Amino acid sequence: MDPRRLLRKAVLRIILGLLGAVFLWPPAASAQEEVTSSIRRYKDREVSTGYYEEHEVKPRRTRPFVQQKEVVRRYSAPVTQYRPRAAVEPSVRSRMEDSHEGIQFYELRRCEECHVEEAKHSHTVKANLTCRQCHGGEPIAGINYYYSPMNPIRRNAYVCAKCHEGASVSFATFLVHEPKAGDPATRKTFASLYYSNWFMYLLIVGTLAFFGLHTLIWVGKETYHAVSEKMKTKPEAEPPPAEKPEPKEPENE
Amino acid sequence: MSDQVRIIRFKVADRVFHVFIMVTFLIQSVTGMGRLLYHTNWGKAVVGIFGGYEGASTVHNTVGILMIIGFVIHIIYILAKVEWKSWRKSLLDADSLVPRPADAVQFGQQIRWFFGLGPRPSFDRWTYWEKFDYWAVFWGMPLLGISGVLLMYPLAASRIMPGWVLNVMVLFHRAEALLAMLYIFIIHFTIGHLRRGMFPMNEGMFAGSVELEKEKEEKALWIARLQEEGRLEQAKVLGPAPWYRTAYFIFGYTALAVGLYLLLIIIVYRNYIEWH
């Protein structure tokens, strides 16, 4: 056969093959990430044996914490970022197995009565989750308690992956209870959010103030012109009024 | 209307893009506001139209993808429109939307006119505020598009960046969307459509043509340029057919009503809106 025709045929097949590959490509099976080890990683998921492989404790892809340099390291253990308030007011309870130990009337009250701010996030408000779907049953461990499922070294697998299949360590650094972006404390705990907030705030206020004023003056000016134009043309349309006597207003009395 | 001389201003493609962005933008506004205010009764009711929170999300995501596709098509379209052999002229002449030094000058003149310090400036084909309208949307689209796609696939997104960036993306997405809505519903509506001389409706973007006499007032430079280049006769077109005019009046006023309604909702529910 003509070698050029052969070549063309081969190229065509390669292209078609590649196109086919696009469709046959295995979907990103993100869950695979969790079972690459020969020991099955999270044996029965919810039941903690207290035993973790090294790579679970030291994630390679991303450190499990929001990394920001200005964090004050006041305590011997590194003060980490994943708990929004941590850098501002570190709490002992955060490292306790039962974070509510000794808190009176705890059993009688609902989570959101005491944790008002924590109840305002999209997982609860929009996705309609209960606190316990993430924080688990009693006792609710502090976030920093070593064996807590919420501990960032295993949060992705023990909490997030229950619903977000294949949640990675990086994914779990998403702050479920976002700090208030406008709060001055956020400048320390989550600086990028704080400054993004200011940036967008200034952008919105600036744009609207500038163009709002621009529009307002413009509309005012055009209205003024139209009205004064009308007042000027009015006497011509009507018969010119006869000599009006000056209004008799005594000037100084 | 038909007895007035009309000249062409927007080609069919431009008008299709505009109608496309009107429709998609309003759908995104309604579904987005419904989701943003889901914790209020209004939000629940609006989301209910789309079959609940998830339905509204699906619509929002799908239309978002459509918008991105439309934007890419628009970019390809404008790149194809530029005459690359004489790109400098093609990009910088008065028929182009690229900002020029003359815009800054005209802006200064306009401000002086505002305060009675000078005559009303005459503009060329595109005024500085029309250019701002265009470029504001142009840069808003990628910001909303990128943050939106990242939030749509949070798991995939967290592979290419730390998960907490999504917190920032939520903020960007909401704040930019609010800015876009406020800008369009207050400023674009007023300048483009409700201002004296424009009222009851600026038909240029729908009919494609504008009245020559009216443009001689505001865009005198453009008309003069057309005359000079001998293109004025060529630019003259017939007015829109009555049925078409009726249709776009209904369409335009519906869009205006939806926009003003959403503006009202933003104002009424301002304390419930959390942009982060």
Side-chain angles (χ1 to χ4, degrees):
Chain A
M1 225 198 287
D2 179 12
R4 278 169 72 192
R5 246 189 89 192
L6 259 180
L7 186 69
R8 217 181 298 152
K9 222 172 175 179
V11 169
L12 196 71
R13 281 198 188 150
I14 291 175
I15 292 178
L16 281 178
L18 281 176
L19 276 179
V22 171
F23 290 108
L24 296 178
W25 209 262
S30 23
Q32 278 175 359
E33 198 176 61
E34 304 298 326
V35 286
T36 42
S37 148
S38 56
I39 310 172
R40 268 199 66 218
R41 271 211 200 159
Y42 302 110
K43 280 130 189 155
D44 285 309
R45 294 245 169 179
E46 302 287 343
V47 186
S48 167
T49 57
Y51 169 72
Y52 299 98
E53 290 176 55
E54 194 186 30
H55 59 269
E56 294 171 309
V57 183
K58 282 190 181 147
R60 283 158 299 170
R61 198 190 288 282
T62 327
R63 302 288 316 280
F65 313 118
V66 177
Q67 299 269 312
Q68 257 139 22
K69 291 201 182 75
E70 312 94 272
V71 177
V72 211
R73 289 173 183 271
R74 266 186 279 165
Y75 292 77
S76 49
V79 175
T80 48
Q81 282 275 287
Y82 57 89
R83 179 171 157 271
R85 292 204 318 268
V88 198
E89 34 177 283
S91 152
V92 199
R93 290 192 178 271
S94 193
R95 300 215 182 81
M96 283 164 56
E97 183 178 6
D98 179 2
S99 55
H100 299 102
E101 196 180 313
I103 295 181
Q104 283 189 323
F105 307 119
Y106 166 69
E107 297 82 2
L108 303 175
R109 304 178 67 180
R110 299 174 53 183
C111 314
E112 53 268 40
E113 286 175 25
C114 300
H115 301 289
V116 178
E117 285 307 315
E118 276 84 4
K120 292 182 196 158
H121 63 273
S122 62
H123 272 92
T124 295
V125 173
K126 298 196 174 135
N128 211 13
L129 304 193
T130 62
C131 309
R132 290 201 189 277
Q133 274 177 284
C134 288
H135 286 283
E138 289 304 320
I140 293 174
I143 306 296
N144 282 330
Y145 176 58
Y146 186 78
Y147 298 109
S148 164
M150 271 293 178
N151 194 315
I153 60 178
R154 66 183 74 88
R155 181 190 294 164
N156 60 314
Y158 275 64
V159 183
C160 312
K162 279 200 266 181
C163 303
H164 301 282
E165 192 183 340
S168 61
V169 170
S170 160
F171 180 76
T173 65
F174 176 81
L175 286 180
V176 171
H177 305 287
E178 220 176 25
K180 279 206 175 311
D183 188 346
T186 310
R187 195 167 66 86
K188 272 194 196 153
T189 56
F190 199 164
S192 44
L193 189 74
Y194 179 81
Y195 288 114
S196 309
N197 183 48
W198 267 109
F199 175 75
M200 287 315 288
Y201 185 75
L202 292 179
L203 186 69
I204 293 182
V205 171
T207 312
L208 291 182
F210 183 81
F211 275 98
L213 218 60
H214 179 268
T215 312
L216 203 68
I217 299 178
W218 191 352
V219 171
K221 174 121 184 150
E222 280 188 345
T223 315
Y224 172 79
H225 275 307
V227 170
S228 58
E229 203 81 341
K230 231 182 208 161
M231 276 161 67
K232 253 185 243 159
T233 47
K234 220 175 194 170
E236 286 168 18
E238 289 167 10
E243 280 284 311
K244 257 197 210 152
E246 283 289 312
K248 276 181 201 158
E249 264 184 22
E251 256 172 40
N252 290 318
E253 222 186 355
Chain B
M1 165 133 276
S2 50
D3 48 327
Q4 259 127 7
V5 183
R6 298 180 71 84
I7 57 172
I8 182 127
R9 183 160 166 80
F10 295 107
K11 294 202 198 72
V12 176
D14 304 330
R15 288 183 266 154
V16 170
F17 278 126
H18 185 256
V19 169
F20 173 78
I21 201 153
M22 270 174 85
V23 174
T24 51
F25 181 80
L26 286 177
I27 294 177
Q28 293 301 72
S29 304
V30 171
T31 51
M33 285 286 290
R35 292 176 66 181
L36 186 65
L37 292 171
Y38 184 62
H39 53 296
T40 67
N41 284 340
W42 183 83
K44 288 201 174 66
V46 165
V47 153
I49 302 172
F50 301 92
Y53 186 82
E54 311 216 318
S57 300
T58 311
V59 173
H60 197 79
N61 295 357
T62 316
V63 175
I65 297 283
L66 272 181
M67 276 178 113
I68 294 175
I69 294 173
F71 187 57
V72 171
I73 293 176
H74 180 72
I75 291 181
I76 295 172
Y77 169 76
I78 50 175
L79 287 182
K81 281 273 150 191
V82 176
E83 282 171 28
W84 290 105
K85 276 191 189 132
S86 51
W87 62 273
R88 204 176 270 275
K89 190 187 155 299
S90 176
L91 283 182
L92 292 179
D93 78 355
D95 276 327
S96 146
L97 275 167
V98 178
R100 309 186 304 153
D103 293 320
V105 175
Q106 284 163 359
F107 172 67
Q109 289 170 338
Q110 177 92 339
I111 295 294
R112 257 182 286 152
W113 172 69
F114 279 173
F115 295 105
L117 301 174
R120 189 169 184 171
S122 56
F123 294 96
D124 209 306
R125 182 157 174 201
W126 311 116
T127 63
Y128 65 86
W129 67 84
E130 284 159 352
K131 287 184 183 180
F132 185 85
D133 278 1
Y134 178 80
W135 289 108
V137 176
F138 197 93
W139 296 123
M141 290 285 287
L143 182 56
L144 283 167
I146 292 172
S147 57
V149 168
L150 290 177
L151 288 169
M152 208 188 300
Y153 302 106
L155 278 165
S158 66
R159 282 162 182 265
I160 50 172
M161 57 199 196
W164 54 264
V165 175
L166 293 176
N167 286 84
V168 182
M169 287 300 153
V170 173
L171 187 146
F172 275 136
H173 197 83
R174 291 182 180 175
E176 175 66 29
L178 274 176
L179 173 60
M181 282 191 286
L182 290 174
Y183 185 85
I184 298 288
F185 301 156
I186 300 175
I187 291 159
H188 182 65
F189 279 4
T190 314
I191 295 192
H193 304 279
L194 300 178
R195 191 156 54 91
R196 282 187 98 79
M198 294 295 177
F199 197 78
M201 182 168 177
N202 181 351
E203 296 172 52
M205 195 36 117
F206 298 100
S209 56
V210 284
E211 288 166 35
L212 181 59
E213 284 312 308
K214 250 189 194 169
E215 293 309 304
K216 272 185 182 162
E217 278 173 32
E218 193 166 281
K219 307 218 163 76
L221 287 178
W222 178 35
I223 308 299
R225 194 162 53 85
L226 283 180
Q227 231 151 13
E228 215 172 89
E229 292 169 15
R231 287 193 292 154
L232 191 57
E233 284 310 311
Q234 210 179 309
K236 282 182 186 161
V237 286
L238 286 178
W243 68 266
Y244 180 53
R245 199 161 176 247
T246 318
Y248 69 64
F249 253 85
I250 293 173
F251 175 71
Y253 265 86
T254 312
L256 192 80
V258 173
L260 292 180
Y261 175 63
L262 283 176
L263 181 62
L264 196 72
I265 290 296
I266 294 179
I267 294 169
V268 171
Y269 284 87
R270 66 194 177 283
N271 290 336
Y272 296 87
I273 293 175
E274 283 170 358
W275 83 29
H276 55 82

